[in-house]
Amino acid sequence: INAEYMGKNPSRSRTGSSLQRPFEFYSVVSRPPSIMAEVEGRGEAQAVADADNAGTMEELSIDENLSETDRIKNYINSSIALQRLVHVRMITTCAKHIGYPATAREILPLLGTVSNDDEPVIREAFADQIAELATFFASTGDAAAYNCILNELIPLLRSLILDGDTQVRMVAAEALLTVAQQIRKEHMELHILQIVVSLAHDVADDDNRILAIQILNELSAFLGADVCQRYAAEELIKLSTDHEFSVRKSVALNLGRICQVSGSDHTRTHLLPALRRLVADEVWGVRKACAESMATISSALDPQFRSDEIVPLFTTLINDVSRWVRNTAFEQLGHLLATLRSPEITKELLGYFVTMASPKHATNDSNLVFQCAFSFPAVVQAVGPARWPELVGAFGLLVKDIQWKIRRTLAFSLHEVARILGPQLTETHLLPAFDLFLKDLDEVKIGVLKHLFDFISILSQPARDKYLSVFETLQSEADPWRFRKILSRQLHQLVTLYSTNDVYTKLTQLAIRLCIDSVSRVRQEAYKTLAAIFEALKDRVDWKRDFSVKLAAFALQNSYQDRLIFIGACYHILDTSMISTFETELLPRLLALARDKVANVRLALARFLAIKLMTISQFAFNREVLATLGQLKNDRDWDVAFFANGGEANTPVRDRRGAATATAAKKS
């Protein structure tokens, strides 16, 4: 529930509450006045008043010998508010421990008095507990527990939703949404919607009517079209003419989802007339809310009706006398255009969108340039390549915008625009921007690097070939190392875009340099590329043999890191079609590492054999493999033995050692 329109601080909502969550009682007994002041959000004066009434330490103490149930029964009606609060928060935990039958017998009879507690913070905590209790009761599958939700918990929640404290009402409304998800649709109207309707009809309290609108908006997804039309849509139509502008504003803000659930026909015949009234409202805040919802409402209509029904209304808003309404309409323009089909997008609306790219719109109160860049790919997708000439001017402005955040947004989505436009338009208009972003600030550069393969794959082969040297430049850059990691992560995909000759003569050396990078994360990402190269060279026997020799050479290097590279490459080779070649050319070198003097190498080998190689049928009964695995199971290093015996890869070292010891003891 959006608390913004309730005139209250939303920080104390159920999902993000600033209230103290369940805490040990002893931790607050020593300072009850200050804790209560913090829990209830009260001021210093009230804290002093609480201190006067807090009682002695003896009065605050509890009987630790009591069971959870008896503690709740004894203290839930205590004269001390802190004791009541702590034990109200124990209700669901206790219910889960003792089960539904005992809860119905021991706890439920106490709840009526809690809902009438003098302290708002306790009633608020109780609303939370009702939602959790309902979820627990529903999970039991017990018919009696389900009936208890309908006949006991929901009536209690109804009284809290009508509470005199606004914050209690808000939390109770959120709890009602949780409870609504636990009950069957046939019970929704009588037990849930009647409560909301009573709020909507409360002519004396504007906040209640606003709360009803927000609840109906959230509930609509669970109602289905028929019930949504009869309740949610009907109530919003009535409230769209409310005398209080804040209520009409809430209707405008919450109309979109209800339109989507009600369906296109009902939206056109019943809800659009209400929208037209709101668009013409005399209060600019209401019209601004209409602008915010227009794209969602448009998506609720069948495509053939969107242009005729929505575009005229939106054009009115984008030319509104209030700059706040105009700014909001411009901010939502991209989202609206994305809901329209290319023939339906008027030249006027698209022209408005193009003007958003102008730097003059980058003001403090509304950065329309950012909104233009953010929604640019969606608009391109809506209009298609045929209308690219109408957008290319805006694209040029965005690429060169002085704000790096604008360029960053475009850099992250450039590959999507390329996918829509195709190779020819991409190479003509997007490639210069791509090259520019590669030389931009790191914050911008990372956008195109993260989607390097996606963009390069769209280009024609001659254009792709030009970027082989760019890959080498990226690998040679010292800082930041994360760029090398990003390149390393995508290089195995890039291998598939190039000829066997380019793979052998250029990408092989690049991959090897990444495998021996000074940063371990860069090296680990490159292992998969070695496997991809091994497969790419399968039709060239001489090149494949040469690369196989280069791989095997890692197993003989003095650096243990190089030997780890060999194991990592073998791991990924098993995911290719080169398993037979692996068995004849690489497996002997791999098994020899069982005698490696470095425990980390033997550990990596043990993991590889146990969780990878042994899952492949042709190796599961291989004598050499089984012998090597048996050797590692008895390794002098506990961690090596643990993994060789099938331990989990994410088990902490201290647990591995215990498991390995237990395994060895069991065998002995």
Side-chain angles (χ1 to χ4, degrees):
I1 302 299
N2 191 337
E4 177 184 355
Y5 303 100
M6 302 297 294
K8 294 290 182 179
N9 185 347
S11 64
R12 291 176 62 188
S13 67
R14 265 184 67 246
T15 54
S17 177
S18 62
L19 290 174
Q20 298 290 320
R21 284 302 174 196
F23 44 78
E24 294 296 331
F25 190 72
Y26 68 81
S27 69
V28 298
V29 167
S30 60
R31 295 189 296 139
S34 61
I35 291 293
M36 281 300 291
E38 179 181 359
V39 169
E40 301 184 27
R42 296 180 176 183
E44 187 65 27
Q46 185 62 50
V48 173
D50 284 342
D52 293 339
N53 300 316
T56 65
M57 290 290 294
E58 184 177 353
E59 292 172 332
L60 285 171
S61 64
I62 62 171
D63 187 349
E64 296 289 349
N65 295 320
L66 295 175
S67 66
E68 268 186 324
T69 305
D70 290 337
R71 280 181 60 180
I72 292 174
K73 293 168 69 174
N74 280 13
Y75 296 106
I76 204 167
N77 293 316
S78 168
S79 60
I80 300 174
L82 180 59
Q83 288 183 339
R84 300 199 305 275
L85 177 62
V86 169
H87 290 87
V88 163
R89 288 176 171 167
M90 290 173 56
I91 290 174
T92 304
T93 302
C94 178
K96 291 178 179 178
H97 289 164
I98 65 177
Y100 169 72
T103 301
R105 185 175 61 253
E106 304 287 343
I107 303 297
L108 288 182
L110 307 172
L111 302 186
T113 57
V114 181
S115 64
N116 296 314
D117 196 283
D118 292 337
E119 294 289 344
V121 70
I122 294 178
R123 301 196 301 275
E124 183 180 334
F126 183 51
D128 265 334
Q129 289 299 305
I130 291 177
E132 294 179 18
L133 265 181
T135 302
F136 166 61
F137 286 177
S139 70
T140 65
D142 189 323
Y146 181 80
N147 289 331
C148 181
I149 297 175
L150 300 179
N151 302 319
E152 301 285 345
L153 299 187
I154 292 179
L156 289 172
L157 205 51
R158 182 189 186 108
S159 67
L160 293 171
I161 286 179
L162 299 173
D163 195 275
D165 185 273
T166 304
Q167 185 66 28
V168 174
R169 293 201 303 268
M170 288 167 54
V171 176
E174 292 183 1
L176 184 67
L177 294 174
T178 301
V179 174
Q181 297 177 53
Q182 313 305 322
I183 68 174
R184 295 190 284 270
K185 284 189 176 182
E186 59 264 30
H187 297 136
M188 189 74 74
E189 296 184 43
L190 178 62
H191 294 277
I192 299 294
L193 290 175
Q194 291 300 328
I195 298 176
V196 186
V197 169
S198 66
L199 289 175
H201 294 175
D202 186 354
V203 295
D205 194 324
D206 302 340
D207 285 347
N208 278 351
R209 300 199 298 280
I210 292 173
L211 188 58
I213 294 167
Q214 295 168 343
I215 295 175
L216 288 170
N217 177 47
E218 296 293 334
L219 282 176
S220 61
F222 311 117
L223 299 180
D226 179 61
V227 178
C228 185
Q229 291 169 10
R230 288 189 287 111
Y231 282 89
E234 187 65 27
E235 293 302 326
L236 260 67
I237 291 169
K238 293 176 182 177
L239 292 171
S240 67
T241 60
D242 195 276
H243 67 278
E244 176 58 46
F245 86 90
S246 59
V247 177
R248 302 195 303 275
K249 176 181 178 181
S250 184
V251 170
L253 286 171
N254 291 278
L255 199 58
R257 184 182 296 180
I258 291 172
C259 287
Q260 289 178 327
V261 178
S262 296
S264 177
D265 292 341
H266 192 269
T267 296
R268 289 181 62 215
T269 56
H270 292 80
L271 292 169
L272 282 187
L275 178 63
R276 294 188 188 98
R277 287 195 300 272
L278 294 170
V279 167
D281 198 281
E282 61 182 6
V283 179
W284 68 263
V286 178
R287 303 196 302 275
K288 178 177 179 291
C290 290
E292 293 180 39
S293 300
M294 201 64 75
T296 307
I297 297 171
S298 175
S299 66
L301 294 170
D302 289 337
Q304 63 268 28
F305 301 123
R306 293 173 186 173
S307 180
D308 293 340
E309 301 286 0
I310 297 298
V311 170
L313 294 176
F314 196 83
T315 303
T316 300
L317 293 171
I318 213 166
N319 292 294
D320 197 273
V321 294
S322 167
R323 73 184 180 104
W324 301 109
V325 177
R326 294 197 304 272
N327 283 344
T328 302
F330 270 109
E331 290 171 0
Q332 297 298 318
L333 178 56
H335 302 285
L336 176 68
L337 291 173
T339 68
L340 304 177
R341 299 181 301 189
S342 183
E344 298 170 343
I345 299 177
T346 66
K347 194 171 185 66
E348 181 183 13
L349 276 186
L350 201 57
Y352 284 135
F353 180 78
V354 169
T355 64
M356 290 171 62
S358 174
K360 70 179 181 180
H361 287 299
T363 61
N364 291 331
D365 58 300
S366 178
N367 191 345
L368 297 184
V369 183
F370 180 83
Q371 294 294 334
C372 181
F374 182 80
S375 56
F376 193 83
V379 174
V380 174
Q381 185 171 32
V383 302
R387 299 187 69 175
W388 173 249
E390 297 176 61
L391 293 171
V392 68
F395 178 77
L397 290 173
L398 294 173
V399 168
K400 299 177 181 178
D401 195 277
I402 193 172
Q403 299 180 81
W404 65 266
K405 291 183 179 180
I406 307 297
R407 304 194 304 277
R408 174 184 167 89
T409 300
L410 206 59
F412 270 95
S413 61
L414 197 64
H415 66 289
E416 293 290 353
V417 179
R419 179 183 57 81
I420 297 165
L421 296 183
Q424 186 174 353
L425 288 175
T426 293
E427 291 176 21
T428 303
H429 298 284
L430 303 191
L431 209 53
F434 181 80
D435 293 337
L436 198 62
F437 290 153
L438 282 175
K439 301 173 184 177
D440 211 317
L441 299 174
D442 287 351
E443 292 82 357
V444 178
K445 184 177 181 179
I446 193 173
V448 289
L449 286 182
K450 280 197 169 185
H451 301 284
L452 191 62
F453 169 77
D454 297 325
F455 186 86
I456 297 294
S457 64
I458 294 166
L459 304 179
S460 63
Q461 195 59 53
R464 291 177 186 173
D465 293 343
K466 295 178 182 178
Y467 284 90
L468 286 167
S469 59
V470 174
F471 303 155
E472 295 179 358
T473 302
L474 290 171
Q475 183 275 323
S476 63
E477 292 179 350
D479 292 311
W481 63 265
R482 288 178 179 81
F483 286 172
R484 302 199 302 279
K485 176 187 172 184
I486 293 171
L487 172 64
S488 186
R489 178 176 294 172
Q490 298 176 77
L491 194 57
H492 73 281
Q493 295 173 295
L494 291 167
V495 164
T496 64
L497 301 180
Y498 291 94
S499 66
T500 306
N501 181 67
D502 286 333
V503 169
Y504 180 71
T505 59
K506 297 178 181 178
L507 294 182
T508 296
Q509 294 304 314
L510 177 60
I512 290 175
R513 288 198 295 271
L514 288 170
C515 281
I516 60 175
D517 194 275
S518 59
V519 179
S520 64
R521 291 189 179 183
V522 178
R523 297 196 299 270
Q524 291 167 9
E525 293 290 350
Y527 297 162
K528 191 179 291 186
T529 302
L530 294 180
I533 292 174
F534 198 49
E535 185 168 35
L537 300 177
K538 63 182 178 181
D539 294 330
R540 291 297 303 266
V541 177
D542 51 341
W543 289 351
K544 183 190 70 173
R545 186 182 299 111
D546 179 65
F547 185 70
S548 178
V549 170
K550 290 179 179 178
L551 275 182
F554 279 110
L556 303 175
Q557 297 300 311
N558 292 329
S559 170
Y560 82 94
Q561 291 182 348
D562 289 339
R563 302 196 293 278
L564 288 175
I565 291 171
F566 177 68
I567 297 174
C570 289
Y571 184 96
H572 290 289
I573 287 172
L574 291 183
D575 294 327
T576 70
S577 61
M578 305 296 291
I579 295 180
S580 298
T581 305
F582 160 80
E583 184 174 11
T584 57
E585 299 183 12
L586 301 178
L587 183 59
R589 293 287 189 189
L590 183 72
L591 299 181
L593 293 176
R595 299 184 296 275
D596 198 282
K597 62 182 180 181
V598 178
N600 277 0
V601 175
R602 302 197 306 278
L603 187 149
L605 178 62
R607 291 176 60 184
F608 170 67
L609 295 180
I611 69 176
K612 187 72 171 182
L613 196 64
M614 293 301 291
T615 62
I616 300 174
S617 58
Q618 70 186 80
F619 298 111
F621 302 100
N622 183 293
R623 291 183 180 180
E624 289 78 10
V625 173
L626 291 174
T628 303
L629 192 59
Q631 177 183 341
L632 293 170
K633 287 180 179 179
N634 296 301
D635 196 274
R636 61 185 181 276
D637 185 279
W638 287 343
D639 290 337
V640 174
F642 173 80
F643 282 114
N645 281 285
E648 295 296 331
N650 58 355
T651 305
V653 171
R654 59 181 179 275
D655 294 336
R656 295 179 205 155
R657 292 180 175 176
T661 304
T663 302
K666 185 177 179 181
K667 285 189 173 184
S668 63

